[in-house]
Amino acid sequence: MISSETVKHVAKLARLKVSDNEVNEYSKQLSRVLEHFESLKAVNTEGVEPLVTPNPASEYRRVDEVVPSKEANTWISHSPDKIGNLVKVPTVVG
Amino acid sequence: MAKEYTTPEGFEAVIGLEIHAQLLTHSKMFCGCSTEFGKGDNANTCPTCLGMPGALPVLNKKALEFSALIGLGLNCEVRKESVFARKNYFYPDLPKGYQISQFDKPLCENGHLEYLSDGTKKRVRIERAHMEEDAGKSTHHGTYSVVNYNRSSVPLLEIVSGPDMRGPLEAADYARAVRAILVYLDVCDGNLEEGSMRCDCNVSVRRSGEQKLGTKVEIKNINSFRFIEKALQFEIERQVDAVQSGEKIVQETRLYDPDKNRTFTMRTKEEAHDYRYFPEPDLLPVVIDEAFMNEVRAKLPELPLQKAYRFQKEYEIPEYDAFVLTQSRELADYFELVARSTENPKISSNWVMVELLAKLNEQKMGITRSPVPASALAGLINLMQKGVISGRTAKDVFAEMFETGASAEQIIKEKGLAQISGNDEIKKVIQEVFVNSPNQLAQYRSGKDKLFGYFVGQVMKATSGQANPEVTNELLKEMLKGS
Amino acid sequence: MATMQKIKNHAEELASQIRDGSFKAVDAVESSLDKIQKKNSALNAIISTLNERALDRAQQIDKATTRNGKLFGVPVVVKDNFCVEGSQTTAGSKILKGFVSNYSATVIERLEAQGAVVIAKANMDEFAMGSSNENSAYGAVKNPWNEACVPGGSSGGSAAAVASEMAPIALGTDTGGSIRLPAHYCGVYGLKPTYGRVSRYGIVAFASSLDQAGPMARSVRDLSLAYDSVAGFDHKDSTTYTETAVDTYSKLTSNIKGKRIGVVTSHIENVDQNNKELITKAIDTLKSLGATVVEIDLPYTENSISVYYMIATSEASSNLARYDGIRYGVRAEGATLDELYENSRGLGFGPEVKRRIMLGTYALSSGYYDAYYKKACQVRRLIKNGFQAAFEKCDLIVGPVATSSAFKLTERSQDPLKMYLNDIYTTSINLAGLPALSAPIGIQKDGLPVGLHLIAKAYDEQVLLNVALSLEEALPGFERTAGVRG
């Protein structure tokens, strides 16, 4: 139901490295799961509005005020590679 | 200056613009971090705009207001219920791995913008304007890049036009017109160079008369209005050449190189992004009620088009002048101040449009940096209207005012430029001229009317141009009659 | 420790004694840390302890002049997806190993405002994805009642910690049953509040429209205290409900006369014999307390697994995109940016997480969105409507949490689908955003606990707690804590 090619494509979209073994395994497992999901097709959803958030919330909106935060290095200190307070990454193509 | 650009014979260019406007809020779109420019690297960050585990977005009320305001300014329908959506892709300057934007159900839709381009009135549809957050900024250094997240999650409004423009100039003018609205509303700086306003162009070509649209090419991040024009000129030529030589046009994203004046492919090995949009589950739909819309409407100032029409009516100036003067709020305010002080809109518009703008353009200054404030120009014009100086002198005085920032009065006093208008004074000068030019006098009195100009000239010479022309004419006519 | 055994080891009593000074917070914390030390090698319920931080706080509490707080001095274990400032939060994953946050989840701040002392981070299925706590990068958790069995997931560590008396209260999160299932398997109380009752800020997100944090405890009163301490509107979470102050504790009553209990007989029929007996007995007890039982129908139960997994994995695929090794977490080598992403995520995520990310990515991808994600959201609305219709006929719904008690380790872990089907009774509640609770109702013949699933209308946590209290008082005595060696 979901071919190895598709698994590779989806893994790429999700930036997940998958070995060839994993590709085959996932293809089988995901196909089984998707087959089960086929049962949804039988449910009549004509005119039914999709539900995203199950309950209404407070509709709170922030006032446009600056909330002081911690110093830059507090947050950037987590980065595995940095230059000063800038996060460093291998070059981005394009 | 290059001649007026026209699309190659037999072809039509179809252009649409996507403009991203950074909103002038104090804090970011979904967190309380400052939007202030120029702070240290990553100084304006927090868990939310860094996409740290467990961080959640909360909408900035002002960003919503500003967005709705822009929607109204662009004659859009503002949706009562709009939905945020996630646009998913991987890039280091996108901390969450998705951008919170709007997809189905954007805030604003179905608007339009009217503006003047090359003397003709244009009308472009605004398909939609939707809210989203900005990404951080990555800077490339060869083998590595560095990322600064100060800009991450700054509020943006993306304004998408219909594919309604047909030439580079009208596209650039559309962008100028959008900028004018944004600045009028005081919601965005509109600075293309600094990036507070960003312009992407979508352009395709087709043979004249064809209905089907050609392959669209996107040109990203053009950072001046002039470059918009030039980039489009190049791109249209490139596409027409390709079509004519049977080449297929690749749907792609290109950049503009102003030094070489050409567009080039963005070096990316990506296939087309699959953004996998879905409604943002961390934010509920944005519901707007009448009370909110009324508040927003109350904040709507007089917009460029309305102002232009009012100027035409109230000040009785021609449409073209009205459009030029209302290009920017500052220019319009400047003109109005002068017009009201001098009570002579026609002369005021002339001075502002011709004298002032010429000097400003020469010095590459905007109206806000004019060394001659509106009150000073009004002062100069009033002196001219009172007859203290002649029109010709006024031009010189203005040049001096622009140079030194001194007032008209000061300059006229210092240089003794006041017009000579007293009858007695001028009579005296005329008498002297008569004494020095007996032959011409005799000739005139025997019928050579043409010599009138000579006498005028002589009076002007004797007074260094400061004799009041009207008075001089009157007196000369009288005095020349005599025998 | 002798002192701890003197008191009933419930938070309510402990807090009261610490408030009046007859018991020291430091002693309570040390006792809990000691229990963890003794039992964790067998159970693997805890990933890290916060010894220094906890003892510091306990000392401050013992010195404090203002002595109020619902959980004053009470040691609390929290699932390792709650950020606690200054401590490691792994979410059960390799990719966050060593990540020490500079901020705490709102829920943690609120607990601490009530005087609670966070002592440890509990083991969990990686990124809360699992029903058995066998998916953790830090090893599986064992069920304190039978170490050959799973404790349930994904809040397996939290449930095991409470069941084995490491602490009287634990916090977990529930996205498709992750509090209720381990509560059932481990014989403790577990409450999943109404979606929007408890702030999600600072909790590692799995599925944004389904996740909800909730307490686990060994008594209803403790559960109520813990819930009251954390629930309420949070300006940092746009999905929280307006009501700010929540007080179920003062309104607790075991009087349930006249309450209408909805039951889906087929659900109970599907359950194994041991569980069925206890469930039927519990329902009979409720009847004897004056409640009436009404047969109801929940027509979309069969579809709930598909709907749940479609939506949860879609949201998760997006929520987990931020784990890329760029700004925090573990970064693998990569010559190019894409390689860096793929390696970091490929190595940092376990197989179940990868499977779900791929499933979700697929469900949202171009061409499949309508058939999968959108369709699931439409059926979600039907599920919610189905509950609303049922609640016209009853005040709460009662049934099994799962089809059996705790199963053996590795029994279902080879087949993802089999594992998913375990969630058949719990997932629809998250989809509808309702509150639900698992209440222990006895120990079945195999020596494993059984819980009863109680479901109420949105925002009606009170009726859940009241009915649970009535059962706590009325059911014949049974063992409430796991007899673990040591």
Short mmCIF file of all heavy atoms in Angstrom, two decimals, chain B residues 188-205:
data_model
loop_
_atom_site.label_atom_id
_atom_site.label_comp_id
_atom_site.label_asym_id
_atom_site.label_seq_id
_atom_site.Cartn_x
_atom_site.Cartn_y
_atom_site.Cartn_z
N CYS B 188 3.91 50.17 8.63
CA CYS B 188 5.12 49.55 8.08
C CYS B 188 6.03 50.64 7.56
O CYS B 188 5.57 51.66 7.06
CB CYS B 188 4.72 48.59 6.95
SG CYS B 188 6.10 47.90 6.01
N ASP B 189 7.34 50.44 7.68
CA ASP B 189 8.33 51.39 7.20
C ASP B 189 8.38 51.50 5.69
O ASP B 189 8.79 52.51 5.15
CB ASP B 189 9.73 50.89 7.61
CG ASP B 189 10.16 51.50 8.89
OD1 ASP B 189 9.62 52.58 9.19
OD2 ASP B 189 11.01 50.91 9.57
N GLY B 190 8.07 50.41 5.04
CA GLY B 190 8.12 50.37 3.58
C GLY B 190 9.52 50.52 3.04
O GLY B 190 9.72 51.03 1.94
N ASN B 191 10.51 50.05 3.79
CA ASN B 191 11.89 50.23 3.34
C ASN B 191 12.41 48.97 2.64
O ASN B 191 12.77 48.00 3.28
CB ASN B 191 12.76 50.57 4.56
CG ASN B 191 14.13 51.04 4.14
OD1 ASN B 191 14.69 50.58 3.15
ND2 ASN B 191 14.68 51.97 4.91
N LEU B 192 12.44 49.02 1.31
CA LEU B 192 12.86 47.85 0.53
C LEU B 192 14.31 47.49 0.78
O LEU B 192 14.67 46.32 0.85
CB LEU B 192 12.67 48.10 -0.97
CG LEU B 192 11.27 47.92 -1.55
CD1 LEU B 192 11.29 48.18 -3.04
CD2 LEU B 192 10.74 46.53 -1.29
N GLU B 193 15.14 48.51 0.91
CA GLU B 193 16.57 48.24 1.10
C GLU B 193 16.83 47.52 2.40
O GLU B 193 17.60 46.57 2.45
CB GLU B 193 17.36 49.54 1.09
CG GLU B 193 17.92 49.87 -0.28
CD GLU B 193 18.31 51.32 -0.39
OE1 GLU B 193 18.61 51.93 0.65
OE2 GLU B 193 18.29 51.83 -1.52
N GLU B 194 16.18 47.97 3.46
CA GLU B 194 16.40 47.35 4.76
C GLU B 194 15.61 46.08 4.94
O GLU B 194 15.84 45.32 5.87
CB GLU B 194 16.03 48.33 5.88
CG GLU B 194 17.11 49.35 6.14
CD GLU B 194 16.68 50.38 7.18
OE1 GLU B 194 15.68 50.16 7.88
OE2 GLU B 194 17.37 51.41 7.25
N GLY B 195 14.63 45.87 4.07
CA GLY B 195 13.86 44.63 4.15
C GLY B 195 12.61 44.69 5.00
O GLY B 195 12.01 43.66 5.28
N SER B 196 12.19 45.91 5.39
CA SER B 196 10.94 45.95 6.15
C SER B 196 9.76 45.79 5.19
O SER B 196 8.63 45.58 5.60
CB SER B 196 10.80 47.25 6.93
OG SER B 196 10.74 48.35 6.05
N MET B 197 10.06 45.88 3.91
CA MET B 197 9.07 45.55 2.88
C MET B 197 9.81 44.72 1.83
O MET B 197 10.90 45.12 1.40
CB MET B 197 8.49 46.83 2.26
CG MET B 197 7.48 46.57 1.16
SD MET B 197 6.69 48.11 0.63
CE MET B 197 6.58 47.84 -1.13
N ARG B 198 9.29 43.57 1.48
CA ARG B 198 9.98 42.71 0.52
C ARG B 198 9.06 42.41 -0.64
O ARG B 198 7.86 42.22 -0.46
CB ARG B 198 10.39 41.40 1.18
CG ARG B 198 11.63 41.52 2.02
CD ARG B 198 11.79 40.32 2.89
NE ARG B 198 11.70 40.72 4.28
CZ ARG B 198 11.41 39.90 5.28
NH1 ARG B 198 11.17 38.64 5.06
NH2 ARG B 198 11.34 40.36 6.51
N CYS B 199 9.68 42.38 -1.83
CA CYS B 199 8.87 42.23 -3.02
C CYS B 199 9.31 41.03 -3.84
O CYS B 199 10.48 40.92 -4.21
CB CYS B 199 9.06 43.51 -3.83
SG CYS B 199 7.65 43.86 -4.78
N ASP B 200 8.38 40.12 -4.10
CA ASP B 200 8.66 39.02 -5.03
C ASP B 200 7.76 39.21 -6.24
O ASP B 200 6.58 39.53 -6.09
CB ASP B 200 8.33 37.67 -4.38
CG ASP B 200 9.20 37.39 -3.16
OD1 ASP B 200 10.28 37.99 -3.04
OD2 ASP B 200 8.77 36.57 -2.31
N CYS B 201 8.33 39.02 -7.43
CA CYS B 201 7.53 39.17 -8.65
C CYS B 201 7.30 37.83 -9.31
O CYS B 201 8.20 37.00 -9.37
CB CYS B 201 8.27 40.05 -9.66
SG CYS B 201 8.69 41.66 -9.02
N ASN B 202 6.10 37.64 -9.80
CA ASN B 202 5.80 36.46 -10.61
C ASN B 202 5.54 36.94 -12.03
O ASN B 202 4.69 37.81 -12.23
CB ASN B 202 4.56 35.74 -10.07
CG ASN B 202 4.85 35.07 -8.75
OD1 ASN B 202 5.83 34.37 -8.60
ND2 ASN B 202 4.00 35.32 -7.77
N VAL B 203 6.30 36.42 -12.97
CA VAL B 203 6.12 36.91 -14.34
C VAL B 203 6.13 35.78 -15.36
O VAL B 203 6.89 34.82 -15.26
CB VAL B 203 7.21 37.98 -14.68
CG1 VAL B 203 8.61 37.43 -14.42
CG2 VAL B 203 7.08 38.46 -16.10
N SER B 204 5.21 35.89 -16.31
CA SER B 204 5.17 34.94 -17.41
C SER B 204 4.87 35.73 -18.67
O SER B 204 4.44 36.89 -18.60
CB SER B 204 4.09 33.87 -17.18
OG SER B 204 2.81 34.47 -17.20
N VAL B 205 5.11 35.11 -19.81
CA VAL B 205 4.77 35.78 -21.08
C VAL B 205 3.86 34.88 -21.90
O VAL B 205 3.83 33.67 -21.70
CB VAL B 205 6.05 36.13 -21.90
CG1 VAL B 205 6.92 37.10 -21.14
CG2 VAL B 205 6.79 34.89 -22.31
#
